[in-house]
Amino acid sequence: MKLGAIGDDFTGSSDLGLTLAQGGMRTVQYVGVPGKPAAADVDAGIIALKSRSIPADEAVKQSLDALRWLQEQGCKQIVFKYCSTFDSMPEGNIGPVIEALIDALETDAPVIVCPAFPATGRTVYQGHLFVHDKLLSESGMEHHPLNPMTDPDLRRFLARQTKRPVGHLALAAIQSGQARKTLLDEAEAGRQIIVCDAVSNQDLLILGEAARGFPLVTGGSGIGLGLPSVLRADEREPAKWSGVSGPALALSGSCSAATRNQIAVHRAEGGAQRKVEVEEIIGGLTPAELLDWAESCGGLPLIYSSDDPHSVKAAQNRFGQDRCAEAVEGFFANLASQALERGFTRIISAGGETSGAVVRAVDATALRIGPMIDPGVPAVKIEGRKVALALKSGNFGAEDFFIKAARVLEGK
Ligand SMILES: Nc1ncnc2c1ncn2[C@@H]1O[C@H](COP(=O)(O)OP(=O)(O)O)[C@@H](O)[C@H]1O
Ligand SMILES: O=C(O)[C@@H](O)C(=O)COP(=O)(O)O
């Protein structure tokens, strides 16, 4: 294995997986730290954790366990993948995990911090994160149910998460051929953790090249764009991937504006839908009744808890944020595992935390990255089983995402 990555959630890990697979690397996403060595035909392995919204010390511990396994597989460069909207709380977990990885790798090389993912509108300029033409803090992410993002200045926000000084690589330096030199100068000046501007794929390719030989690189999936060409020794055919036929089910616990719009479009196109309320779930709604309904529908039935910020707040005020998240994620996890038992073979899951819960519940240990559904979202297949999944970040996907995903999972 040439490249090892640690993803702080499941959708994010498959997003990076897509970038690396499109760069020609045979890529597998692991569900947690594997208990056995990687197969021989894996160039890039991504360990997907669900460490984005857990206490920082636990996120650090899990990330270090993942690092050890990747080092045992021979990886010389490690990517820490977090969200392109830098999802985290002021106390972490991005800063604490970066610090712990630096210490474990015993490196004083520069460490890039770059969540930019231009294909989905995320760019970093003058140290600030934008989502299309809006600052992060005005993009809708300020309403995120778990980590409201209210500070778009990544240098200032990251400085709250780490004791180490935070540096900056400005766009002008990248575009004038000074990227590697500036990174080295910043690290030399004691600012090893460096927020990097990037507004285009070209900037990210330059960053990938500038990071040649650096043991640790961090960012959104965009940071993976420039790494395969640096790491890949041999050109080869892209890996073959075939779809899976059989019944499909879509699940959504994502409350993002993009997902809610995709749900509306699925409904407008005649898709069968059932909304589940937090209150019903906490009140003991069973997956079985919903699956009976789903089995009776044709096409792509969709079960969702997704709601607008006002209703999410109301549920959180009533039951507590953690209880809502736990109940809803647990419910979707049970739904997914029972759906597979009943013979569903294609599961589409919207939401990072939701997908983490779903993937763990279906007892998958490794997912082979397949073709793109939409930017940032590949089709994946559970290794050794006839089950295909799509794990969609809340913010990603075109408005016809659900039906398109069902088709791509089927190999169409
Ligand atoms: N109606 C709801 N009220 C409160 N919380 C909800 C509701 N629906 C989903 N959630 C929770 O909100 C969180 C959404 O996060 P996630 O699944 O990561 O989606 P996204 O990718 O959009 O961030 C999950 O923890 C989910 O369980
Ligand atoms: O980088 C991204 O935006 C995604 O890959 C990602 O991490 C998605 O997280 P969620 O929005 O929680 O699904």
Side-chain angles (χ1 to χ4, degrees):
M1 193 184 282
K2 297 193 174 84
L3 182 66
I6 303 165
D8 72 352
D9 86 340
F10 284 70
T11 47
S13 296
S14 59
D15 173 13
L16 176 65
L18 178 60
T19 307
L20 299 175
Q22 290 187 319
M25 299 185 102
R26 295 169 302 178
T27 307
V28 169
Q29 169 176 350
Y30 300 97
V31 180
V33 182
K36 55 179 188 189
D41 68 341
V42 182
D43 302 319
I46 303 161
I47 298 188
L49 302 175
K50 195 169 179 295
S51 56
R52 188 173 286 174
S53 310
I54 63 177
D57 52 352
E58 182 55 24
V60 163
K61 186 186 164 304
Q62 292 185 18
S63 305
L64 292 177
D65 287 347
L67 172 67
R68 262 188 297 278
W69 186 84
L70 293 168
Q71 286 177 314
E72 281 162 20
Q73 311 315 307
C75 299
K76 294 277 179 284
Q77 192 169 51
I78 302 294
V79 178
F80 171 40
K81 160 70 178 69
Y82 39 78
C83 194
S84 63
T85 43
F86 215 70
D87 292 22
S88 51
M89 300 295 281
E91 58 275 17
N93 296 338
I94 296 175
V97 170
I98 292 178
E99 278 185 328
L101 292 173
I102 289 174
D103 290 340
L105 287 161
E106 296 180 5
T107 175
D108 50 15
V111 176
I112 287 172
V113 172
C114 186
F117 185 10
T120 55
R122 279 71 160 158
T123 56
V124 183
Y125 182 57
Q126 308 289 23
H128 286 65
L129 181 52
F130 290 82
V131 177
H132 299 289
D133 63 345
K134 299 260 185 342
L135 281 165
L136 175 67
S137 49
E138 297 166 26
S139 67
M141 283 303 292
E142 67 276 23
H143 301 303
H144 190 279
L146 305 178
N147 46 257
M149 299 304 291
T150 54
D151 188 352
D153 185 336
L154 296 178
R155 299 158 303 179
R156 183 171 57 200
F157 190 56
L158 186 58
R160 297 175 70 180
Q161 299 185 9
T162 161
K163 292 183 277 307
R164 300 179 194 219
V166 175
H168 182 217
L169 169 59
L171 191 65
I174 295 178
Q175 295 186 345
S176 61
Q178 298 296 305
R180 188 169 171 96
K181 179 178 181 312
T182 308
L183 289 168
L184 291 166
D185 288 349
E186 284 289 271
E188 183 66 31
R191 295 182 292 273
Q192 184 183 13
I193 302 177
I194 305 158
V195 170
C196 298
D197 289 356
V199 300
S200 66
N201 284 354
Q202 183 56 28
D203 300 330
L204 288 160
L205 288 169
I206 293 171
L207 281 179
E209 178 61 44
R212 188 182 284 268
F214 294 170
L216 179 61
V217 179
T218 84
S221 62
I223 200 63
L225 277 172
L227 304 179
S229 59
V230 175
L231 288 162
R232 202 156 31 99
D234 44 340
E235 291 292 331
R236 68 167 70 78
E237 289 286 299
K240 297 236 176 333
W241 196 95
S242 53
V244 169
S245 55
L249 177 65
L251 308 173
S252 174
S254 160
C255 299
S256 72
T259 304
R260 287 184 288 122
N261 188 40
Q262 289 155 356
I263 292 172
V265 168
H266 175 266
R267 182 184 315 124
E269 288 177 355
Q273 296 192 346
R274 167 76 154 86
K275 180 171 184 212
V276 290
E277 304 290 343
V278 178
E279 189 181 9
E280 283 180 280
I281 294 174
I282 289 177
L285 179 69
T286 65
E289 30 193 308
L290 290 174
L291 290 171
D292 289 343
W293 165 81
E295 280 175 338
S296 71
C297 303
L300 176 66
L302 166 63
I303 300 169
Y304 67 98
S305 68
S306 315
D307 222 332
D308 59 77
H310 179 77
S311 311
V312 169
K313 246 294 106 339
Q316 290 180 333
N317 287 340
R318 183 166 169 207
F319 299 109
Q321 176 186 308
D322 289 350
R323 190 155 173 233
C324 286
E326 251 168 56
V328 174
E329 290 172 31
F331 186 75
F332 282 120
N334 289 336
L335 257 176
S337 69
Q338 292 181 30
L340 294 193
E341 280 163 22
R342 287 184 184 220
F344 283 88
T345 55
R346 292 175 287 150
I347 304 276
I348 298 153
S349 164
E353 297 296 321
T354 309
S355 299
V358 160
V359 167
R360 293 207 291 205
V362 300
D363 218 14
T365 53
L367 307 172
R368 185 66 64 159
I369 305 288
M372 179 171 94
I373 300 167
D374 272 323
V377 197
V380 303
K381 243 178 11 192
I382 302 182
E383 293 259 75
R385 281 163 66 187
K386 283 205 164 56
V387 175
L389 307 173
L391 311 174
K392 186 191 88 77
S393 151
N395 296 314
F396 288 175
E399 51 178 34
D400 61 347
F401 176 81
F402 285 110
I403 204 67
K404 195 197 299 178
R407 275 201 300 268
V408 177
L409 294 187
E410 206 175 6
K412 291 189 175 154

